[in-house]
Structures are given as C-alpha cells and as structure tokens.
Amino acid sequence: AGSLLRHALSPTAPRPRAPTRASRIHTPRASSSGESPPLGGPVYVDERDGSTPASKMADDLCSSRSKVIDVDVKHATPWLEFRSLTYLDPTGATRRWDMVGRATRSESAKSKGIDAVCVFATLRKKGEEDTTLLVRQFRPPMNGETIELPAGLVDADEDPIVAALRELKEETGYVGTVAGGDEATGGGGNGKGDGDGIGKEGEASTRDGVEAITPALPLSPGLSNETVALVRVDVDLDAPENANPKQQLEGSEFITVLRVPIAGLRRTLDAFAARGYNVFAGLYTMALGMEMGEGR
C-alpha cells in the first residue's frame, strides 16, 4: 500500500523553468507551410474553450515531441525496478533519466493500467455527521508515520473497484459499497458480480453524476510511472457487518485507523502535521479542494 514519495532525478535530466505569468496564448504562429513553430521560450495556452487551433498547435510544441527510446533495468526486486531511461528531447538530442517503477503492474485489461487504489470512504450513521477513514502507519522511506487514505496495490487481473473494497476491509475492517451504486445501477455496490454498482464498462457512477473511480493518476511523475485511482465508497454504520469492524492485516502491516469528520478535513490534517505526522500530498490536496469548493 502507498506510494513512492522521494524524488531522485538524474543529474543530467532537464529541469524546466516555471512560467512567470499566464496569458491566453503566447506561442509562435505556425508557418503557412504547415511547419511547427520554432522551439524556445515558455508556452502558454488557455484551454477554457476546449480544443482550439491554439491548443492544437501547442500539442506539437516542446515536450510533446519527446519520447523514450530505451529502458535499461539496472536493479530489480519482486516489488520494484530501478530503470535508466534514454529519451529524445524536442530538439532530437538524446538525454538520460533515472526512475523507479512498480514490478507488480498487471497488463490485464481489468486493471486499466492502475497500480494502486486509495479509498475515500463516507461513513454514515443516522443522527450523526458524516465521517471518513484515515490510516496512520510507519513508512520506512520517510522514517516516520504518515496520514493517508486506506490504500493498496491492485492484484493481477483484479478490477480496481474490487481492489478498493478489499483494501478497505483489510485495513480498516469496514465493509463498503461503491458510492451511489444502489441508485446508479440498482445493485448493492459490493464490487462482486451483478448489482455491484459497476457499469458495463467497469465504471461506477454516483448520484451526483461524478464517477466513483478516477482515471489512473500519476503519483510522482518525475520519479516513477506509478499510478493510483481514487475510489469513493459509502459505509453504512447502521449495517450489522459494520457493528464490530476487525482489520485483516498482513504480518508486516501495523495500521491505526482514524475516524474523522469530513467537515473541516483540511484543518484536521493541519493538526496532524503540527503533531509531526507526514500527511500524504494527495489527501491534503483533496481536502483543500473540498474546502475551496465550499467557498471557505
């Protein structure tokens, strides 16, 4: 469970400069011959109007011309691979980049290229405010404890939604259903067979029209090609199966389950950070986005 959190870039890797200001479009115009604009200088494209001639032109600029041409595995374990990449930059020059990759990635169509899943569970109980579940555990690369969402690797030939419900049960003891599964499909949202809240294409929609699972999202693209999907899950605390939750941890796992209010989640995470815990960046970003969406 979890992600690779430490950046280790090759000394020869290019380091892009951050743009100083954004504007609608600042790129050289394509020539009448159809050739791409010359390279050099930052590129700014306003994508608010969707795919425009300007954005299409920018797709052919700079980094979009780069590609990896060779992969050399320097060291491998059952879990990870240290790889040295050779790639072409936009000018055609050959460059090197060091990375770490998951050796466990499944090529199955079911897994959709997703290495791991994390679970945002909404716990509901009559007469009480909605809460969610966080996990606290020691992470050796950080030499400290982290605050994260329940998470874990997707097994070979496993649907990510099934993996999310499995990890939730193993790490926290709670039994969940895919968010909105009942109304979306008429099913129970248990991630198994028909009526599981999973659509025909292996996707689940929620009551608010937002997919219950995100696409495969890169975690640290300067370091690794590891991807994660966030799965939204409902947990009914009034259900008998959640009356006495019991973890099903592996021998190497030591996880403390934290039940916290969803309201004010960012402030809760700030309090954990002030106590010396390492808050996972994706969790904090999500909490901040939730707060911004509420207009606070």
Side-chain angles (χ1 to χ4, degrees):
S3 65
L4 305 169
L5 298 176
R6 180 169 172 246
H7 283 279
L9 301 180
S10 167
T12 60
R15 303 191 189 285
R17 292 174 296 177
T20 56
R21 61 183 290 269
S23 59
R24 189 162 186 80
I25 175 70
H26 291 281
T27 62
R29 293 290 182 182
S31 67
S32 58
S33 63
E35 295 179 354
S36 298
L39 296 169
V43 177
Y44 303 95
V45 180
D46 190 331
E47 293 279 4
R48 288 177 296 178
D49 297 327
S51 182
T52 65
S55 64
K56 290 177 181 177
M57 179 178 68
D59 286 342
D60 194 39
L61 291 173
C62 296
S63 61
S64 60
R65 295 181 182 177
S66 302
K67 64 179 179 179
V68 174
I69 58 175
D70 185 64
V71 179
D72 183 14
V73 178
K74 296 294 188 181
H75 180 71
T77 74
W79 300 102
L80 300 173
E81 291 180 348
F82 182 77
R83 305 166 187 161
S84 180
L85 309 180
T86 304
Y87 73 99
L88 297 179
D89 74 8
T91 69
T94 300
R95 297 184 181 272
R96 302 290 295 274
W97 195 281
D98 295 334
M99 66 163 287
V100 178
R102 287 281 184 191
T104 54
R105 174 174 290 183
S106 171
E107 299 301 326
S108 166
K110 278 188 177 181
S111 65
K112 307 177 182 66
I114 297 171
D115 291 306
V117 290
C118 57
V119 182
F120 186 79
T122 300
L123 281 62
R124 294 188 169 92
K125 186 176 180 63
K126 292 180 180 179
E128 296 185 4
E129 66 175 337
D130 290 350
T131 54
T132 191
L133 297 172
L134 308 178
V135 293
R136 192 186 78 209
Q137 58 188 315
F138 178 78
R139 292 295 194 184
M142 298 298 297
N143 191 26
E145 289 189 301
T146 60
I147 304 295
E148 309 174 26
L149 292 172
L153 295 176
V154 177
D155 289 341
D157 201 32
E158 184 179 32
D159 187 288
I161 289 180
V162 175
L165 297 175
R166 172 180 57 77
E167 287 291 346
L168 179 68
K169 173 65 174 176
E170 292 175 359
E171 292 195 354
T172 72
Y174 286 98
V175 176
T177 60
V178 176
D182 290 345
E183 290 189 11
T185 64
N190 59 12
K192 299 177 183 178
D194 295 334
D196 57 3
I198 303 174
K200 294 181 180 179
E201 299 297 325
E203 298 179 348
S205 296
T206 64
R207 301 178 184 89
D208 55 14
V210 179
E211 297 298 331
I213 180 171
T214 68
L217 306 173
L219 278 170
S220 184
L223 170 67
S224 176
N225 66 341
E226 183 184 22
T227 61
V228 66
L230 173 68
V231 181
R232 298 165 62 194
V233 170
D234 290 331
V235 175
D236 181 4
L237 294 181
D238 293 311
E241 59 268 26
N242 290 318
N244 296 291
K246 295 182 180 179
Q247 294 171 299
Q248 300 174 358
L249 301 177
E250 299 178 2
S252 61
E253 292 182 310
F254 302 90
I255 294 175
T256 300
V257 181
L258 309 170
R259 182 182 169 194
V260 301
I262 291 178
L265 180 58
R266 195 268 306 165
R267 294 189 296 275
T268 298
L269 298 179
D270 281 342
F272 281 125
R275 291 162 58 187
Y277 295 112
N278 299 287
V279 178
F280 177 53
L283 170 59
Y284 193 94
T285 301
M286 182 183 68
L288 183 60
M290 293 165 61
E291 185 175 271
M292 293 171 65
E294 294 172 355
R296 295 182 181 178

PDB file of all heavy atoms in Angstrom, residues 123 131-137 146-148 150 172 255-261 272 275 277:
ATOM      1  N   LEU A 123     -18.609   7.568   5.886  1.00  0.00           N
ATOM      2  CA  LEU A 123     -19.299   6.787   6.897  1.00  0.00           C
ATOM      3  C   LEU A 123     -20.571   7.529   7.307  1.00  0.00           C
ATOM      4  O   LEU A 123     -20.513   8.705   7.707  1.00  0.00           O
ATOM      5  CB  LEU A 123     -18.411   6.561   8.112  1.00  0.00           C
ATOM      6  CG  LEU A 123     -17.344   5.461   8.014  1.00  0.00           C
ATOM      7  CD1 LEU A 123     -16.324   5.756   6.924  1.00  0.00           C
ATOM      8  CD2 LEU A 123     -16.650   5.262   9.357  1.00  0.00           C
ATOM      9  N   THR A 131     -18.543  11.083   8.452  1.00  0.00           N
ATOM     10  CA  THR A 131     -17.128  10.988   8.781  1.00  0.00           C
ATOM     11  C   THR A 131     -16.414  10.207   7.693  1.00  0.00           C
ATOM     12  O   THR A 131     -17.038   9.620   6.805  1.00  0.00           O
ATOM     13  CB  THR A 131     -16.910  10.301  10.138  1.00  0.00           C
ATOM     14  OG1 THR A 131     -17.586   9.021  10.135  1.00  0.00           O
ATOM     15  CG2 THR A 131     -17.470  11.147  11.274  1.00  0.00           C
ATOM     16  N   THR A 132     -15.078  10.192   7.763  1.00  0.00           N
ATOM     17  CA  THR A 132     -14.295   9.394   6.830  1.00  0.00           C
ATOM     18  C   THR A 132     -13.191   8.676   7.588  1.00  0.00           C
ATOM     19  O   THR A 132     -12.988   8.906   8.788  1.00  0.00           O
ATOM     20  CB  THR A 132     -13.708  10.266   5.705  1.00  0.00           C
ATOM     21  OG1 THR A 132     -13.173   9.412   4.665  1.00  0.00           O
ATOM     22  CG2 THR A 132     -12.604  11.185   6.215  1.00  0.00           C
ATOM     23  N   LEU A 133     -12.478   7.806   6.874  1.00  0.00           N
ATOM     24  CA  LEU A 133     -11.441   6.982   7.491  1.00  0.00           C
ATOM     25  C   LEU A 133     -10.070   7.348   6.949  1.00  0.00           C
ATOM     26  O   LEU A 133      -9.864   7.422   5.734  1.00  0.00           O
ATOM     27  CB  LEU A 133     -11.704   5.494   7.233  1.00  0.00           C
ATOM     28  CG  LEU A 133     -12.989   4.913   7.817  1.00  0.00           C
ATOM     29  CD1 LEU A 133     -13.192   3.487   7.318  1.00  0.00           C
ATOM     30  CD2 LEU A 133     -12.945   4.936   9.346  1.00  0.00           C
ATOM     31  N   LEU A 134      -9.139   7.593   7.857  1.00  0.00           N
ATOM     32  CA  LEU A 134      -7.734   7.764   7.518  1.00  0.00           C
ATOM     33  C   LEU A 134      -6.942   6.650   8.185  1.00  0.00           C
ATOM     34  O   LEU A 134      -7.424   6.021   9.135  1.00  0.00           O
ATOM     35  CB  LEU A 134      -7.223   9.130   8.005  1.00  0.00           C
ATOM     36  CG  LEU A 134      -8.030  10.365   7.591  1.00  0.00           C
ATOM     37  CD1 LEU A 134      -7.413  11.617   8.195  1.00  0.00           C
ATOM     38  CD2 LEU A 134      -8.131  10.475   6.083  1.00  0.00           C
ATOM     39  N   VAL A 135      -5.746   6.400   7.685  1.00  0.00           N
ATOM     40  CA  VAL A 135      -4.889   5.391   8.306  1.00  0.00           C
ATOM     41  C   VAL A 135      -3.544   6.028   8.648  1.00  0.00           C
ATOM     42  O   VAL A 135      -3.029   6.869   7.917  1.00  0.00           O
ATOM     43  CB  VAL A 135      -4.681   4.161   7.400  1.00  0.00           C
ATOM     44  CG1 VAL A 135      -5.991   3.410   7.232  1.00  0.00           C
ATOM     45  CG2 VAL A 135      -4.117   4.541   6.039  1.00  0.00           C
ATOM     46  N   ARG A 136      -3.010   5.618   9.797  1.00  0.00           N
ATOM     47  CA  ARG A 136      -1.694   6.077  10.243  1.00  0.00           C
ATOM     48  C   ARG A 136      -0.771   4.869  10.301  1.00  0.00           C
ATOM     49  O   ARG A 136      -1.115   3.839  10.892  1.00  0.00           O
ATOM     50  CB  ARG A 136      -1.805   6.716  11.625  1.00  0.00           C
ATOM     51  CG  ARG A 136      -0.557   7.480  12.066  1.00  0.00           C
ATOM     52  CD  ARG A 136      -0.685   7.952  13.504  1.00  0.00           C
ATOM     53  NE  ARG A 136      -0.435   6.865  14.437  1.00  0.00           N
ATOM     54  CZ  ARG A 136      -0.966   6.773  15.659  1.00  0.00           C
ATOM     55  NH1 ARG A 136      -1.815   7.698  16.083  1.00  0.00           N
ATOM     56  NH2 ARG A 136      -0.682   5.769  16.454  1.00  0.00           N
ATOM     57  N   GLN A 137       0.394   4.993   9.645  1.00  0.00           N
ATOM     58  CA  GLN A 137       1.335   3.881   9.635  1.00  0.00           C
ATOM     59  C   GLN A 137       2.754   4.380   9.423  1.00  0.00           C
ATOM     60  O   GLN A 137       2.974   5.470   8.885  1.00  0.00           O
ATOM     61  CB  GLN A 137       0.971   2.872   8.556  1.00  0.00           C
ATOM     62  CG  GLN A 137       0.929   3.430   7.153  1.00  0.00           C
ATOM     63  CD  GLN A 137       0.385   2.430   6.155  1.00  0.00           C
ATOM     64  OE1 GLN A 137       0.755   1.259   6.150  1.00  0.00           O
ATOM     65  NE2 GLN A 137      -0.521   2.882   5.292  1.00  0.00           N
ATOM     66  N   THR A 146       2.886   8.285   8.584  1.00  0.00           N
ATOM     67  CA  THR A 146       2.135   9.082   7.626  1.00  0.00           C
ATOM     68  C   THR A 146       0.649   9.020   7.929  1.00  0.00           C
ATOM     69  O   THR A 146       0.165   8.091   8.580  1.00  0.00           O
ATOM     70  CB  THR A 146       2.357   8.578   6.186  1.00  0.00           C
ATOM     71  OG1 THR A 146       1.920   7.211   6.092  1.00  0.00           O
ATOM     72  CG2 THR A 146       3.825   8.665   5.790  1.00  0.00           C
ATOM     73  N   ILE A 147      -0.062  10.018   7.438  1.00  0.00           N
ATOM     74  CA  ILE A 147      -1.519  10.042   7.476  1.00  0.00           C
ATOM     75  C   ILE A 147      -1.988   9.906   6.033  1.00  0.00           C
ATOM     76  O   ILE A 147      -1.670  10.756   5.191  1.00  0.00           O
ATOM     77  CB  ILE A 147      -2.066  11.348   8.091  1.00  0.00           C
ATOM     78  CG1 ILE A 147      -1.494  11.573   9.491  1.00  0.00           C
ATOM     79  CG2 ILE A 147      -3.581  11.332   8.113  1.00  0.00           C
ATOM     80  CD1 ILE A 147      -1.908  10.523  10.515  1.00  0.00           C
ATOM     81  N   GLU A 148      -2.708   8.844   5.732  1.00  0.00           N
ATOM     82  CA  GLU A 148      -3.107   8.544   4.364  1.00  0.00           C
ATOM     83  C   GLU A 148      -4.556   8.067   4.337  1.00  0.00           C
ATOM     84  O   GLU A 148      -5.179   7.833   5.379  1.00  0.00           O
ATOM     85  CB  GLU A 148      -2.222   7.437   3.775  1.00  0.00           C
ATOM     86  CG  GLU A 148      -0.729   7.661   3.893  1.00  0.00           C
ATOM     87  CD  GLU A 148       0.066   6.457   3.415  1.00  0.00           C
ATOM     88  OE1 GLU A 148      -0.454   5.685   2.578  1.00  0.00           O
ATOM     89  OE2 GLU A 148       1.208   6.280   3.875  1.00  0.00           O
ATOM     90  N   PRO A 150      -6.968   4.820   3.260  1.00  0.00           N
ATOM     91  CA  PRO A 150      -6.767   3.380   3.063  1.00  0.00           C
ATOM     92  C   PRO A 150      -6.389   3.132   1.602  1.00  0.00           C
ATOM     93  O   PRO A 150      -6.989   3.705   0.687  1.00  0.00           O
ATOM     94  CB  PRO A 150      -8.130   2.782   3.400  1.00  0.00           C
ATOM     95  CG  PRO A 150      -8.773   3.792   4.307  1.00  0.00           C
ATOM     96  CD  PRO A 150      -8.304   5.132   3.818  1.00  0.00           C
ATOM     97  N   THR A 172      -9.157  -1.478   7.446  1.00  0.00           N
ATOM     98  CA  THR A 172      -9.997  -0.817   8.460  1.00  0.00           C
ATOM     99  C   THR A 172     -11.033  -1.727   9.093  1.00  0.00           C
ATOM    100  O   THR A 172     -11.572  -1.402  10.155  1.00  0.00           O
ATOM    101  CB  THR A 172     -10.741   0.387   7.846  1.00  0.00           C
ATOM    102  OG1 THR A 172     -11.777  -0.079   6.974  1.00  0.00           O
ATOM    103  CG2 THR A 172      -9.778   1.272   7.063  1.00  0.00           C
ATOM    104  N   ILE A 255      -1.283  -0.819  11.278  1.00  0.00           N
ATOM    105  CA  ILE A 255      -2.059   0.335  10.836  1.00  0.00           C
ATOM    106  C   ILE A 255      -3.046   0.754  11.917  1.00  0.00           C
ATOM    107  O   ILE A 255      -3.802  -0.068  12.451  1.00  0.00           O
ATOM    108  CB  ILE A 255      -2.822   0.010   9.534  1.00  0.00           C
ATOM    109  CG1 ILE A 255      -1.829  -0.226   8.390  1.00  0.00           C
ATOM    110  CG2 ILE A 255      -3.805   1.125   9.173  1.00  0.00           C
ATOM    111  CD1 ILE A 255      -2.479  -0.674   7.102  1.00  0.00           C
ATOM    112  N   THR A 256      -3.035   2.049  12.234  1.00  0.00           N
ATOM    113  CA  THR A 256      -4.017   2.633  13.137  1.00  0.00           C
ATOM    114  C   THR A 256      -5.088   3.314  12.303  1.00  0.00           C
ATOM    115  O   THR A 256      -4.778   4.111  11.411  1.00  0.00           O
ATOM    116  CB  THR A 256      -3.359   3.667  14.071  1.00  0.00           C
ATOM    117  OG1 THR A 256      -2.334   3.015  14.836  1.00  0.00           O
ATOM    118  CG2 THR A 256      -4.389   4.281  15.008  1.00  0.00           C
ATOM    119  N   VAL A 257      -6.350   2.988  12.581  1.00  0.00           N
ATOM    120  CA  VAL A 257      -7.473   3.561  11.833  1.00  0.00           C
ATOM    121  C   VAL A 257      -7.978   4.798  12.566  1.00  0.00           C
ATOM    122  O   VAL A 257      -8.216   4.771  13.779  1.00  0.00           O
ATOM    123  CB  VAL A 257      -8.612   2.532  11.675  1.00  0.00           C
ATOM    124  CG1 VAL A 257      -9.768   3.131  10.872  1.00  0.00           C
ATOM    125  CG2 VAL A 257      -8.093   1.262  10.993  1.00  0.00           C
ATOM    126  N   LEU A 258      -8.137   5.883  11.817  1.00  0.00           N
ATOM    127  CA  LEU A 258      -8.588   7.149  12.383  1.00  0.00           C
ATOM    128  C   LEU A 258      -9.921   7.530  11.746  1.00  0.00           C
ATOM    129  O   LEU A 258     -10.010   7.650  10.521  1.00  0.00           O
ATOM    130  CB  LEU A 258      -7.564   8.252  12.113  1.00  0.00           C
ATOM    131  CG  LEU A 258      -6.111   7.943  12.505  1.00  0.00           C
ATOM    132  CD1 LEU A 258      -5.180   9.007  11.952  1.00  0.00           C
ATOM    133  CD2 LEU A 258      -5.990   7.860  14.021  1.00  0.00           C
ATOM    134  N   ARG A 259     -10.945   7.718  12.556  1.00  0.00           N
ATOM    135  CA  ARG A 259     -12.241   8.188  12.057  1.00  0.00           C
ATOM    136  C   ARG A 259     -12.344   9.672  12.349  1.00  0.00           C
ATOM    137  O   ARG A 259     -12.264  10.097  13.511  1.00  0.00           O
ATOM    138  CB  ARG A 259     -13.383   7.417  12.718  1.00  0.00           C
ATOM    139  CG  ARG A 259     -14.770   7.812  12.210  1.00  0.00           C
ATOM    140  CD  ARG A 259     -15.848   7.036  12.954  1.00  0.00           C
ATOM    141  NE  ARG A 259     -17.173   7.579  12.669  1.00  0.00           N
ATOM    142  CZ  ARG A 259     -18.258   7.288  13.366  1.00  0.00           C
ATOM    143  NH1 ARG A 259     -18.191   6.429  14.394  1.00  0.00           N
ATOM    144  NH2 ARG A 259     -19.423   7.837  13.061  1.00  0.00           N
ATOM    145  N   VAL A 260     -12.507  10.483  11.295  1.00  0.00           N
ATOM    146  CA  VAL A 260     -12.504  11.931  11.460  1.00  0.00           C
ATOM    147  C   VAL A 260     -13.688  12.535  10.717  1.00  0.00           C
ATOM    148  O   VAL A 260     -14.195  11.955   9.751  1.00  0.00           O
ATOM    149  CB  VAL A 260     -11.184  12.558  10.936  1.00  0.00           C
ATOM    150  CG1 VAL A 260      -9.987  11.983  11.667  1.00  0.00           C
ATOM    151  CG2 VAL A 260     -11.052  12.352   9.428  1.00  0.00           C
ATOM    152  N   PRO A 261     -14.151  13.719  11.126  1.00  0.00           N
ATOM    153  CA  PRO A 261     -15.242  14.383  10.398  1.00  0.00           C
ATOM    154  C   PRO A 261     -14.793  14.793   8.998  1.00  0.00           C
ATOM    155  O   PRO A 261     -13.644  15.199   8.797  1.00  0.00           O
ATOM    156  CB  PRO A 261     -15.550  15.612  11.256  1.00  0.00           C
ATOM    157  CG  PRO A 261     -14.932  15.334  12.593  1.00  0.00           C
ATOM    158  CD  PRO A 261     -13.753  14.479  12.324  1.00  0.00           C
ATOM    159  N   PHE A 272      -2.706  17.202  12.394  1.00  0.00           N
ATOM    160  CA  PHE A 272      -1.828  16.032  12.354  1.00  0.00           C
ATOM    161  C   PHE A 272      -0.406  16.441  11.975  1.00  0.00           C
ATOM    162  O   PHE A 272       0.582  15.968  12.559  1.00  0.00           O
ATOM    163  CB  PHE A 272      -2.347  14.999  11.362  1.00  0.00           C
ATOM    164  CG  PHE A 272      -3.479  14.156  11.881  1.00  0.00           C
ATOM    165  CD1 PHE A 272      -4.672  14.071  11.193  1.00  0.00           C
ATOM    166  CD2 PHE A 272      -3.333  13.430  13.052  1.00  0.00           C
ATOM    167  CE1 PHE A 272      -5.718  13.291  11.662  1.00  0.00           C
ATOM    168  CE2 PHE A 272      -4.373  12.640  13.542  1.00  0.00           C
ATOM    169  CZ  PHE A 272      -5.570  12.574  12.841  1.00  0.00           C
ATOM    170  N   ARG A 275       1.544  17.874  14.703  1.00  0.00           N
ATOM    171  CA  ARG A 275       1.990  16.873  15.678  1.00  0.00           C
ATOM    172  C   ARG A 275       3.147  16.034  15.158  1.00  0.00           C
ATOM    173  O   ARG A 275       3.603  15.109  15.827  1.00  0.00           O
ATOM    174  CB  ARG A 275       0.811  15.964  16.048  1.00  0.00           C
ATOM    175  CG  ARG A 275      -0.263  16.676  16.869  1.00  0.00           C
ATOM    176  CD  ARG A 275      -1.583  15.942  16.854  1.00  0.00           C
ATOM    177  NE  ARG A 275      -1.507  14.578  17.341  1.00  0.00           N
ATOM    178  CZ  ARG A 275      -2.521  13.698  17.304  1.00  0.00           C
ATOM    179  NH1 ARG A 275      -3.687  14.084  16.786  1.00  0.00           N
ATOM    180  NH2 ARG A 275      -2.368  12.473  17.762  1.00  0.00           N
ATOM    181  N   TYR A 277       3.262  14.318  12.093  1.00  0.00           N
ATOM    182  CA  TYR A 277       2.944  13.277  11.118  1.00  0.00           C
ATOM    183  C   TYR A 277       3.114  13.811   9.692  1.00  0.00           C
ATOM    184  O   TYR A 277       2.961  15.006   9.425  1.00  0.00           O
ATOM    185  CB  TYR A 277       1.505  12.784  11.310  1.00  0.00           C
ATOM    186  CG  TYR A 277       1.271  12.101  12.630  1.00  0.00           C
ATOM    187  CD1 TYR A 277       0.463  12.689  13.604  1.00  0.00           C
ATOM    188  CD2 TYR A 277       1.864  10.876  12.909  1.00  0.00           C
ATOM    189  CE1 TYR A 277       0.252  12.068  14.833  1.00  0.00           C
ATOM    190  CE2 TYR A 277       1.652  10.245  14.141  1.00  0.00           C
ATOM    191  CZ  TYR A 277       0.849  10.847  15.084  1.00  0.00           C
ATOM    192  OH  TYR A 277       0.653  10.231  16.291  1.00  0.00           O
TER     193      TYR A 277
END
